Amino acid sequence: MFAPITQIRSAKQEDIPAMKSMAMAAPEAALWSTGQYEALLTAGEQRLVLVAEENGTLRGFLAARTISGECELENIVVAPEARRRGIGALLLRSLLNRTRAEGATVCWLEVRTSNTAARRLYGAAGFRESGRRRGYYQQPSEDAALYRIDL
């Protein structure tokens, strides 16, 4: 059996329901309203929203923004049934390649300290922990680990 081919592309309005559904199935993901997703897709050059698609089915997405040569990864989600297959790494690599090509010099993010899978993903991509934000997350209260990568 052949492995499905994952395509990375820019998100479209019709992707929003699947993106919301994926985020709701991932307790570690940031939960946004439909309006917030719509705003991401209409924000212009400062936003980059990518989706990973296999055979017409969305398997993951990420949202980032760029300001003054800096990229911030705001959210990355892979569908539970598609995890541990390299989709998150593919999305992350696509983000770094695109923002680097557009002139960004650094990318940063924050992640729950308990999210070991995401922290491994970021470390494997070359991000390094650069600090902590105490009590940054709520429900439950938790510190954020700050990560950055120079592009």
Side-chain angles (χ1 to χ4, degrees):
M1 181 174 187
F2 295 102
I5 296 172
T6 304
Q7 172 192 5
I8 304 297
R9 63 170 174 79
S10 295
K12 301 181 274 190
Q13 291 286 78
E14 54 265 25
D15 296 325
I16 292 174
M19 292 165 62
K20 282 185 64 178
S21 178
M22 268 188 276
M24 290 177 69
E28 65 280 353
L31 297 179
W32 296 335
S33 69
T34 300
Q36 287 171 304
Y37 281 105
E38 289 171 351
L40 287 173
L41 299 180
T42 58
E45 294 177 13
Q46 289 187 338
R47 296 290 178 152
L48 180 60
V49 184
L50 301 174
V51 296
E53 184 176 49
E54 289 179 343
N55 302 323
T57 301
L58 290 189
R59 298 296 186 195
F61 74 92
L62 68 71
R65 66 178 167 174
T66 55
I67 299 172
S68 301
E70 292 190 2
C71 168
E72 177 190 9
L73 176 61
E74 298 174 293
N75 208 356
I76 183 168
V77 179
V78 174
E81 69 277 6
R83 291 185 180 171
R84 302 196 55 80
R85 294 185 16 225
I87 293 171
L90 186 59
L91 281 164
L92 195 53
R93 204 168 33 251
S94 295
L95 169 69
L96 297 176
N97 289 340
R98 289 180 189 212
T99 55
R100 184 182 297 117
E102 293 171 2
T105 58
V106 65
C107 187
W108 53 277
L109 59 93
E110 56 268 311
V111 60
R112 285 184 179 271
T113 54
S114 65
N115 192 341
T116 56
R119 295 178 73 185
R120 279 194 303 269
L121 171 68
Y122 302 139
F127 282 83
R128 297 293 169 243
E129 188 171 343
S130 61
R132 295 278 172 116
R133 289 191 179 152
R134 302 279 175 222
Y136 181 78
Y137 292 103
Q138 302 304 312
Q139 300 177 356
S141 179
E142 189 172 352
D143 293 351
L146 304 174
Y147 281 78
R148 73 175 277 147
I149 185 171
D150 292 323
L151 303 172

